Amino acid sequence: MNIEYSKAFTKVVKKLSGKVLESVKLAITEVKKAERIDEISDCKKLVGFQNVYRKRIGDLRAFMLLHIHIEGNTVVFEYLIPRGQAYNKKNNGQSSK
């Protein structure tokens, strides 16, 4: 799959280090290698949103928009936040794009 990153996602990843950063890199590599969304481990579609998925990376949640084009699939990593904040109502609006 093709991968794109939002500014918010990139900003958070730049602040990471150690095992967490390695886990995020491995997750991104897994998404790149996947041909279909169901090949990605710990990835679930969010109820109530169209083409929005979350990928569990330890205590973090990466929220992704899946754009399907005729020429191929593009996954946009929208944001990366801790699990406790991931499902707050104020953050749910971010993933409705």
Side-chain angles (χ1 to χ4, degrees), residues 10 12-28 57 60 80:
T10 305
V12 171
V13 171
K14 285 182 181 180
K15 293 179 183 178
L16 298 176
S17 63
K19 287 184 179 182
V20 177
L21 180 60
E22 287 303 313
S23 295
V24 171
K25 287 180 180 179
L26 287 173
I28 291 170
I57 306 170
L60 297 175
L80 181 69

Side-chain angles (χ1 to χ4, degrees), residues 4-6 8-10 31 37 42-47 49 51-57 59-66 75-88 91-97:
E4 294 179 7
Y5 310 98
S6 70
F9 183 86
T10 305
V31 173
I37 197 76
D42 291 325
C43 184
K44 293 186 180 182
K45 185 177 185 322
L46 292 184
V47 176
F49 296 96
N51 298 328
V52 178
Y53 296 82
R54 71 106 176 114
K55 167 105 174 97
R56 191 177 132 250
I57 306 170
D59 287 338
L60 297 175
R61 301 297 183 266
F63 289 85
M64 307 174 282
L65 290 178
L66 176 64
V75 174
V76 180
F77 283 90
E78 281 295 316
Y79 59 104
L80 181 69
I81 56 178
R83 180 188 168 276
Q85 297 173 12
Y87 304 106
N88 287 344
N91 290 324
N92 282 342
Q94 290 181 4
S95 60
S96 62
K97 293 180 182 177

